[in-house]
Coordinates of all heavy atoms in Angstrom, one line a residue:
M30 N 60.0 191.5 123.5 CA 60.7 190.3 123.0 C 59.9 189.0 123.3 O 60.2 188.0 122.8 CB 62.1 190.2 123.6 CG 63.1 191.1 122.9 SD 63.5 190.4 121.3 CE 64.5 191.7 120.7
A31 N 58.9 189.2 124.2 CA 58.0 188.0 124.5 C 57.4 187.3 123.3 O 57.3 186.2 123.1 CB 57.0 188.3 125.6
A32 N 57.0 188.2 122.3 CA 56.5 187.7 121.1 C 57.5 186.9 120.3 O 57.2 185.9 119.7 CB 55.9 188.9 120.2
G33 N 58.7 187.4 120.3 CA 59.8 186.7 119.7 C 60.0 185.3 120.3 O 60.3 184.3 119.5
I34 N 60.0 185.2 121.6 CA 60.1 183.8 122.2 C 59.0 182.9 121.9 O 59.2 181.7 121.6 CB 60.3 184.0 123.7 CG1 61.6 184.6 124.1 CG2 60.1 182.7 124.5 CD1 61.8 184.9 125.5
E35 N 57.8 183.5 121.9 CA 56.6 182.7 121.5 C 56.7 182.1 120.1 O 56.4 181.0 119.8 CB 55.3 183.4 121.8 CG 55.0 183.7 123.1 CD 55.0 182.4 124.0 OE1 54.4 181.4 123.6 OE2 55.6 182.4 125.1
E36 N 57.2 183.0 119.1 CA 57.4 182.6 117.8 C 58.4 181.5 117.7 O 58.3 180.5 117.0 CB 57.7 183.8 116.9 CG 57.7 183.4 115.4 CD 58.0 184.5 114.5 OE1 58.1 185.7 115.0 OE2 58.1 184.4 113.3
L37 N 59.5 181.7 118.4 CA 60.6 180.7 118.5 C 60.2 179.4 119.0 O 60.5 178.3 118.5 CB 61.7 181.3 119.3 CG 63.1 180.7 119.2 CD1 63.6 180.6 117.8 CD2 64.1 181.5 120.0
K38 N 59.3 179.4 120.0 CA 58.7 178.2 120.5 C 57.9 177.5 119.5 O 58.0 176.2 119.3 CB 57.8 178.5 121.8 CG 58.6 178.8 123.1 CD 57.6 179.0 124.2 CE 58.3 179.3 125.5 NZ 57.3 179.5 126.5
M39 N 57.1 178.2 118.7 CA 56.3 177.6 117.7 C 57.2 177.0 116.6 O 56.9 175.8 116.2 CB 55.4 178.6 117.0 CG 54.3 179.1 118.0 SD 53.1 177.8 118.5 CE 52.3 177.6 116.9
I40 N 58.1 177.7 116.2 CA 59.1 177.2 115.1 C 59.8 175.9 115.6 O 59.9 175.0 114.8 CB 60.0 178.3 114.7 CG1 59.3 179.4 114.0 CG2 61.2 177.7 113.8 CD1 60.2 180.6 113.7
C41 N 60.3 175.9 116.8 CA 61.1 174.8 117.3 C 60.2 173.7 117.9 O 60.7 172.7 118.4 CB 62.0 175.4 118.4 SG 63.3 176.4 117.7
R42 N 58.9 173.9 117.8 CA 57.9 172.8 118.3 C 58.2 172.5 119.8 O 58.2 171.4 120.2 CB 58.0 171.6 117.5 CG 57.6 171.8 116.0 CD 57.3 170.6 115.3 NE 56.3 169.7 116.0 CZ 56.5 168.4 116.0 NH1 57.4 167.7 115.5 NH2 55.6 167.7 116.7
E43 N 58.4 173.5 120.6 CA 58.7 173.4 122.0 C 57.6 172.8 122.8 O 57.8 172.1 123.8 CB 59.2 174.7 122.7 CG 60.6 175.1 122.3 CD 61.6 174.1 122.8 OE1 61.7 173.9 124.0 OE2 62.3 173.5 122.0
E44 N 56.3 173.0 122.3 CA 55.2 172.4 123.1 C 55.2 170.9 122.9 O 54.9 170.1 123.8 CB 53.9 173.0 122.6 CG 52.7 172.6 123.4 CD 51.4 173.4 123.1 OE1 51.5 174.6 122.9 OE2 50.4 172.7 123.0
D45 N 55.5 170.4 121.7 CA 55.5 169.0 121.3 C 56.7 168.3 121.8 O 56.7 167.1 122.2 CB 55.2 168.8 119.9 CG 53.9 169.4 119.3 OD1 52.9 169.3 120.1 OD2 53.9 169.9 118.2
V46 N 57.9 168.9 121.5 CA 59.2 168.3 121.9 C 60.0 169.3 122.6 O 60.9 170.0 122.2 CB 60.0 167.9 120.6 CG1 61.2 167.2 120.8 CG2 59.1 167.2 119.6
P47 N 59.7 169.5 124.0 CA 60.4 170.5 124.8 C 61.9 170.2 124.9 O 62.3 169.0 125.1 CB 59.7 170.4 126.1 CG 58.9 169.1 126.2 CD 58.7 168.7 124.8
F48 N 62.7 171.3 124.8 CA 64.2 171.1 124.9 C 64.7 172.3 125.6 O 65.6 172.2 126.4 CB 64.7 171.0 123.5 CG 66.1 170.6 123.5 CD1 66.4 169.2 123.4 CD2 67.2 171.5 123.4 CE1 67.8 168.9 123.3 CE2 68.5 171.2 123.4 CZ 68.8 169.8 123.3
F49 N 64.3 173.5 125.3 CA 64.8 174.8 125.8 C 63.9 175.4 126.9 O 62.7 175.4 126.8 CB 65.0 175.7 124.7 CG 66.0 175.3 123.6 CD1 65.5 174.9 122.4 CD2 67.4 175.4 123.8 CE1 66.4 174.5 121.4 CE2 68.2 175.0 122.9 CZ 67.7 174.6 121.6
S50 N 64.6 176.0 127.9 CA 63.8 176.8 128.8 C 63.6 178.2 128.1 O 64.3 178.5 127.1 CB 64.6 177.0 130.1 OG 65.8 177.8 129.9
D51 N 62.7 179.0 128.7 CA 62.5 180.4 128.2 C 63.8 181.2 128.2 O 64.1 182.0 127.3 CB 61.4 181.0 129.0 CG 60.0 180.5 128.6 OD1 59.9 179.6 127.8 OD2 59.0 181.0 129.3
A52 N 64.6 181.0 129.3 CA 65.8 181.8 129.4 C 66.9 181.4 128.3 O 67.5 182.2 127.7 CB 66.5 181.5 130.8
E53 N 66.8 180.1 128.0 CA 67.7 179.7 126.9 C 67.3 180.2 125.5 O 68.1 180.6 124.7 CB 67.8 178.1 126.8 CG 68.6 177.5 128.0 CD 68.4 176.0 128.0 OE1 67.3 175.5 127.8 OE2 69.4 175.4 128.2
L54 N 66.0 180.2 125.3 CA 65.4 180.8 124.0 C 65.7 182.2 124.0 O 66.1 182.7 122.9 CB 63.9 180.5 123.9 CG 63.5 179.0 123.7 CD1 62.0 178.9 123.8 CD2 64.0 178.6 122.3
Q55 N 65.6 182.9 125.1 CA 65.9 184.4 125.2 C 67.3 184.6 124.9 O 67.7 185.6 124.1 CB 65.6 185.0 126.5 CG 65.7 186.5 126.5 CD 64.8 187.2 125.6 OE1 63.6 187.0 125.6 NE2 65.3 188.0 124.6
Y56 N 68.2 183.7 125.4 CA 69.7 183.8 125.1 C 69.9 183.7 123.6 O 70.7 184.5 123.0 CB 70.4 182.8 125.9 CG 71.8 182.6 125.4 CD1 72.8 183.5 125.8 CD2 72.1 181.5 124.6 CE1 74.2 183.3 125.4 CE2 73.5 181.4 124.1 CZ 74.5 182.2 124.5 OH 75.7 182.1 124.1
H57 N 69.4 182.7 123.0 CA 69.6 182.5 121.6 C 69.0 183.6 120.7 O 69.6 184.0 119.7 CB 69.1 181.2 121.2 CG 69.9 180.0 121.6 ND1 71.2 179.8 121.2 CD2 69.6 179.0 122.6 CE1 71.6 178.7 121.8 NE2 70.7 178.3 122.7
L58 N 67.9 184.1 121.1 CA 67.2 185.3 120.4 C 68.1 186.5 120.6 O 68.4 187.2 119.6 CB 65.9 185.5 121.0 CG 65.0 186.5 120.3 CD1 64.8 186.0 118.8 CD2 63.6 186.5 120.9
D59 N 68.6 186.8 121.8 CA 69.5 187.9 122.0 C 70.8 187.7 121.2 O 71.3 188.7 120.6 CB 69.9 188.1 123.5 CG 68.7 188.5 124.3 OD1 67.7 189.0 123.8 OD2 68.8 188.4 125.6
R60 N 71.4 186.5 121.2 CA 72.5 186.3 120.4 C 72.4 186.5 119.0 O 73.4 186.9 118.3 CB 73.0 184.8 120.8 CG 74.4 184.5 120.3 CD 75.0 183.4 121.1 NE 76.4 183.3 120.7 CZ 76.9 182.2 120.2 NH1 76.2 181.2 120.0 NH2 78.2 182.2 119.9
A61 N 71.2 186.3 118.5 CA 70.9 186.4 117.0 C 70.4 187.9 116.7 O 70.0 188.2 115.7 CB 69.8 185.5 116.6
G62 N 70.6 188.8 117.7 CA 70.2 190.2 117.5 C 68.8 190.4 117.3 O 68.3 191.3 116.6
G63 N 68.0 189.5 117.9 CA 66.5 189.6 117.8 C 65.9 189.0 116.5 O 64.7 189.0 116.3
N64 N 66.8 188.4 115.7 CA 66.4 187.8 114.4 C 65.9 186.4 114.8 O 66.6 185.5 115.1 CB 67.6 187.7 113.5 CG 67.2 187.1 112.2 OD1 66.3 186.3 112.0 ND2 67.9 187.6 111.2
V65 N 64.5 186.2 114.7 CA 63.8 185.0 115.1 C 64.3 183.9 114.1 O 64.5 182.8 114.6 CB 62.3 185.1 115.1 CG1 61.6 183.8 115.3 CG2 61.9 186.2 116.1
D66 N 64.4 184.1 112.9 CA 64.9 183.1 111.9 C 66.3 182.6 112.2 O 66.5 181.4 112.2 CB 64.8 183.6 110.5 CG 63.4 183.7 110.0 OD1 62.4 183.2 110.7 OD2 63.1 184.2 108.9
L67 N 67.2 183.4 112.5 CA 68.6 183.0 112.8 C 68.5 182.3 114.2 O 69.2 181.3 114.3 CB 69.5 184.2 112.9 CG 70.9 183.9 113.2 CD1 71.5 182.9 112.2 CD2 71.7 185.3 113.2
A68 N 67.8 182.7 115.2 CA 67.7 182.0 116.5 C 67.1 180.7 116.2 O 67.5 179.7 116.8 CB 66.9 182.9 117.4
A69 N 66.1 180.6 115.4 CA 65.5 179.3 115.1 C 66.4 178.4 114.5 O 66.5 177.2 114.9 CB 64.2 179.5 114.3
Y70 N 67.2 178.8 113.5 CA 68.2 178.0 112.9 C 69.2 177.4 113.9 O 69.5 176.3 114.0 CB 69.0 178.8 111.8 CG 70.1 178.1 111.3 CD1 69.9 177.0 110.4 CD2 71.4 178.4 111.6 CE1 71.0 176.3 109.9 CE2 72.5 177.7 111.0 CZ 72.3 176.6 110.2 OH 73.3 175.9 109.6
N71 N 69.7 178.3 114.8 CA 70.6 177.9 115.8 C 70.0 177.0 116.8 O 70.6 175.8 117.1 CB 71.2 179.1 116.6 CG 72.1 180.0 115.7 OD1 72.8 179.5 114.7 ND2 72.1 181.3 116.0
C72 N 68.8 177.1 117.2 CA 68.2 176.3 118.2 C 67.8 174.9 117.5 O 68.1 173.9 118.1 CB 66.9 176.9 118.7 SG 67.1 178.3 119.8
L73 N 67.4 174.9 116.3 CA 67.1 173.7 115.6 C 68.4 172.8 115.4 O 68.3 171.6 115.4 CB 66.3 173.9 114.3 CG 64.9 174.4 114.6 CD1 64.3 175.0 113.2 CD2 64.0 173.3 115.1
C74 N 69.4 173.5 115.1 CA 70.7 172.8 114.9 C 71.1 172.1 116.2 O 71.5 170.9 116.2 CB 71.8 173.7 114.5 SG 71.8 174.1 112.7
I75 N 70.9 172.8 117.4 CA 71.2 172.2 118.7 C 70.2 171.0 118.9 O 70.7 170.0 119.4 CB 71.1 173.3 119.8 CG1 72.2 174.3 119.6 CG2 71.1 172.6 121.1 CD1 72.0 175.5 120.5
K76 N 69.0 171.2 118.6 CA 68.0 170.2 118.8 C 68.2 169.0 117.9 O 67.7 167.9 118.2 CB 66.6 170.8 118.5 CG 65.6 170.5 119.6 CD 64.3 171.3 119.3 CE 63.3 170.8 120.3 NZ 62.1 171.5 120.3
A77 N 69.0 169.1 116.9 CA 69.2 168.1 115.9 C 70.4 167.1 116.3 O 70.7 166.2 115.6 CB 69.6 168.7 114.5
E78 N 70.8 167.3 117.5 CA 71.8 166.3 118.0 C 71.2 164.9 118.1 O 70.0 164.8 118.2 CB 72.3 166.7 119.4 CG 73.0 168.0 119.4 CD 73.3 168.5 120.8 OE1 72.8 167.9 121.8 OE2 74.1 169.5 120.9
D79 N 72.0 163.9 117.9 CA 71.5 162.6 117.9 C 70.8 162.3 119.2 O 71.3 162.5 120.3 CB 72.7 161.6 117.8 CG 72.3 160.1 117.6 OD1 71.1 159.8 117.7 OD2 73.2 159.3 117.3
T80 N 69.5 161.9 119.1 CA 68.7 161.6 120.3 C 68.3 160.2 120.5 O 67.5 159.8 121.3 CB 67.4 162.5 120.1 OG1 66.7 162.0 119.0 CG2 67.7 163.9 120.1
T81 N 69.1 159.3 119.9 CA 68.9 157.8 120.1 C 69.2 157.5 121.5 O 70.3 157.9 122.0 CB 69.7 157.0 119.1 OG1 69.4 157.5 117.8 CG2 69.4 155.5 119.3
L82 N 68.4 156.7 122.1 CA 68.6 156.2 123.5 C 68.4 154.7 123.5 O 67.4 154.2 123.0 CB 67.7 156.9 124.5 CG 67.8 156.4 125.9 CD1 69.1 156.8 126.5 CD2 66.6 157.1 126.7
T83 N 69.3 153.9 124.0 CA 69.2 152.5 124.1 C 69.4 152.0 125.5 O 70.4 152.4 126.1 CB 70.2 151.8 123.2 OG1 70.1 152.2 121.9 CG2 70.0 150.3 123.2
I84 N 68.4 151.3 126.0 CA 68.4 150.8 127.4 C 67.9 149.4 127.3 O 66.8 149.1 127.0 CB 67.5 151.6 128.3 CG1 68.0 153.1 128.4 CG2 67.6 151.0 129.7 CD1 67.1 154.0 129.2
N85 N 68.8 148.4 127.7 CA 68.5 147.0 127.8 C 67.7 146.5 126.5 O 66.7 145.9 126.6 CB 67.6 146.7 129.0 CG 68.5 146.9 130.3 OD1 69.7 146.7 130.3 ND2 67.8 147.2 131.4
G86 N 68.3 146.9 125.4 CA 67.7 146.4 124.1 C 66.5 147.3 123.6 O 66.0 147.1 122.5
L87 N 66.0 148.2 124.4 CA 64.9 149.1 124.0 C 65.6 150.3 123.4 O 66.4 151.0 124.0 CB 64.1 149.5 125.1 CG 63.0 150.5 124.9 CD1 61.9 149.9 123.9 CD2 62.3 150.9 126.2
T88 N 65.2 150.7 122.1 CA 65.8 151.9 121.5 C 64.7 152.8 121.1 O 63.7 152.4 120.5 CB 66.5 151.4 120.2 OG1 67.5 150.5 120.5 CG2 67.2 152.5 119.5
T89 N 64.9 154.1 121.4 CA 64.0 155.2 121.0 C 64.4 155.7 119.7 O 65.6 155.6 119.2 CB 64.1 156.3 122.0 OG1 65.3 156.9 122.1 CG2 63.6 155.8 123.4
A90 N 63.5 156.3 118.9 CA 63.8 156.8 117.6 C 64.6 158.1 117.7 O 64.5 158.8 118.6 CB 62.4 157.1 116.9
D91 N 65.4 158.2 116.6 CA 66.3 159.4 116.6 C 65.6 160.5 115.8 O 65.1 160.2 114.6 CB 67.6 159.0 115.8 CG 68.5 160.2 115.6 OD1 68.4 161.1 116.4 OD2 69.3 160.1 114.7
S92 N 65.4 161.6 116.3 CA 64.7 162.8 115.6 C 65.6 163.8 115.0 O 65.2 164.8 114.5 CB 63.7 163.4 116.7 OG 64.4 164.0 117.7
S93 N 66.9 163.5 115.0 CA 67.9 164.5 114.6 C 67.7 164.9 113.1 O 67.8 166.1 112.8 CB 69.3 164.0 114.8 OG 69.6 162.9 114.0
K94 N 67.4 163.9 112.2 CA 67.1 164.3 110.8 C 66.0 165.2 110.6 O 66.0 166.1 109.8 CB 66.9 163.0 110.0 CG 68.1 162.1 109.9 CD 67.9 160.9 109.1 CE 69.1 160.0 109.0 NZ 68.9 158.7 108.3
Y95 N 64.9 165.0 111.4 CA 63.7 165.9 111.3 C 64.2 167.3 111.7 O 63.8 168.2 111.0 CB 62.6 165.4 112.3 CG 61.5 166.3 112.4 CD1 60.5 166.4 111.4 CD2 61.3 167.1 113.6 CE1 59.5 167.3 111.5 CE2 60.3 167.9 113.7 CZ 59.3 168.1 112.6 OH 58.3 168.9 112.7
F96 N 64.9 167.5 112.8 CA 65.2 168.8 113.2 C 66.3 169.4 112.2 O 66.3 170.6 112.0 CB 65.6 168.9 114.6 CG 64.5 168.7 115.6 CD1 64.3 167.6 116.3 CD2 63.5 169.7 115.7 CE1 63.2 167.4 117.1 CE2 62.5 169.6 116.5 CZ 62.3 168.4 117.2
R97 N 67.1 168.6 111.6 CA 68.1 169.2 110.6 C 67.3 169.7 109.4 O 67.6 170.7 108.8 CB 69.0 168.1 110.1 CG 70.2 168.0 111.1 CD 71.4 167.3 110.5 NE 71.1 165.9 110.1 CZ 71.2 164.8 110.9 NH1 71.7 165.0 112.1 NH2 71.0 163.6 110.5
R98 N 66.2 168.9 109.0 CA 65.4 169.4 107.9 C 64.7 170.7 108.2 O 64.6 171.7 107.4 CB 64.3 168.4 107.5 CG 64.8 167.3 106.6 CD 63.7 166.4 106.0 NE 62.6 166.1 106.9 CZ 62.6 165.1 107.7 NH1 63.6 164.2 107.7 NH2 61.5 164.8 108.4
M99 N 64.2 170.8 109.4 CA 63.6 172.0 109.9 C 64.6 173.2 109.9 O 64.3 174.3 109.5 CB 63.0 171.9 111.2 CG 61.7 171.1 111.2 SD 60.9 170.9 112.9 CE 60.4 172.6 113.2
A100 N 65.8 173.0 110.4 CA 66.8 174.0 110.5 C 67.2 174.5 109.1 O 67.4 175.7 108.9 CB 68.0 173.5 111.2
S101 N 67.1 173.6 108.1 CA 67.5 174.0 106.7 C 66.6 175.1 106.2 O 67.0 175.9 105.3 CB 67.6 172.8 105.8 OG 66.3 172.3 105.5
R102 N 65.4 175.1 106.7 CA 64.4 176.1 106.3 C 64.8 177.6 106.8 O 64.4 178.6 106.2 CB 63.0 175.8 106.8 CG 62.4 174.5 106.2 CD 61.1 174.2 106.7 NE 60.1 175.3 106.5 CZ 59.0 175.4 107.2 NH1 58.7 174.7 108.2 NH2 58.3 176.4 106.9
Y103 N 65.5 177.6 107.9 CA 65.9 178.8 108.4 C 67.3 179.2 108.3 O 67.8 180.2 108.9 CB 65.5 178.9 110.0 CG 64.0 178.7 110.1 CD1 63.4 177.5 110.3 CD2 63.2 179.9 110.0 CE1 62.1 177.3 110.5 CE2 61.8 179.7 110.1 CZ 61.2 178.4 110.3 OH 59.9 178.3 110.4
R104 N 68.1 178.4 107.6 CA 69.5 178.6 107.4 C 69.7 180.0 106.7 O 69.2 180.3 105.7 CB 70.1 177.5 106.6 CG 71.6 177.7 106.4 CD 72.2 176.5 105.6 NE 71.5 176.6 104.3 CZ 71.7 175.8 103.3 NH1 72.5 174.8 103.4 NH2 71.0 175.9 102.2
P105 N 70.6 180.8 107.3 CA 71.0 182.1 106.7 C 71.7 181.9 105.4 O 72.5 181.0 105.3 CB 71.8 182.8 107.7 CG 72.3 181.7 108.6 CD 71.4 180.6 108.5
T106 N 71.4 182.7 104.5 CA 72.2 182.7 103.2 C 73.5 183.4 103.3 O 73.5 184.5 104.0 CB 71.3 183.3 102.0 OG1 71.0 184.6 102.4 CG2 70.1 182.5 101.8
N107 N 74.5 182.9 102.8 CA 75.8 183.6 102.9 C 76.0 184.2 101.5 O 76.4 183.6 100.5 CB 76.9 182.5 103.2 CG 76.7 182.0 104.5 OD1 76.4 182.7 105.5 ND2 77.0 180.7 104.7
S108 N 75.9 185.5 101.5 CA 76.0 186.3 100.2 C 77.3 187.2 100.3 O 77.4 188.0 99.4 CB 74.8 187.0 99.9 OG 74.5 188.0 101.0
G109 N 78.1 187.0 101.3 CA 79.3 187.8 101.4 C 80.4 187.3 100.4 O 80.3 186.3 99.9
I110 N 81.4 188.2 100.3 CA 82.6 187.8 99.5 C 83.7 187.2 100.4 O 84.1 187.8 101.4 CB 83.1 189.1 98.8 CG1 82.0 189.6 97.9 CG2 84.3 188.7 98.0 CD1 82.4 190.9 97.2
L111 N 84.2 186.1 100.1 CA 85.2 185.4 100.7 C 86.6 186.0 100.2 O 86.8 186.1 99.0 CB 85.2 183.9 100.6 CG 84.0 183.2 101.1 CD1 84.1 181.7 100.8 CD2 83.8 183.4 102.6
T112 N 87.4 186.3 101.1 CA 88.7 186.8 100.7 C 89.8 185.7 101.1 O 89.7 185.0 102.0 CB 89.2 188.1 101.5 OG1 89.1 187.9 102.9 CG2 88.2 189.2 101.1
G113 N 90.8 185.6 100.1 CA 91.8 184.6 100.3 C 93.0 185.2 101.1 O 93.1 186.4 101.2
D114 N 93.8 184.3 101.6 CA 95.1 184.8 102.2 C 96.1 185.1 101.1 O 96.5 184.1 100.4 CB 95.6 183.7 103.2 CG 94.7 183.5 104.3 OD1 93.8 182.7 104.2 OD2 94.9 184.1 105.3
N115 N 96.5 186.3 101.0 CA 97.5 186.7 99.9 C 98.7 187.1 100.6 O 98.9 187.8 101.4 CB 96.9 187.8 99.0 CG 95.8 187.2 98.1 OD1 95.7 186.1 97.9 ND2 94.9 188.1 97.7

């Protein structure tokens, strides 16, 4: 599974914008049943939280839109049939 974590790190740009520990990435990978794309989607959604920080008039850029766009690339397709309450 180490290869899965490394791929997940690349997809989530962990080297450039660190957010998750290796243990957290492993957790998300395990929760996704080893599916790197699904784990990436979940991690990128978490990373897409509003990251704006304001201190004494100094404001940092919000990167949430960027990570939401990245997550959309890995969003699972829902091809199941929805059943109604009858």
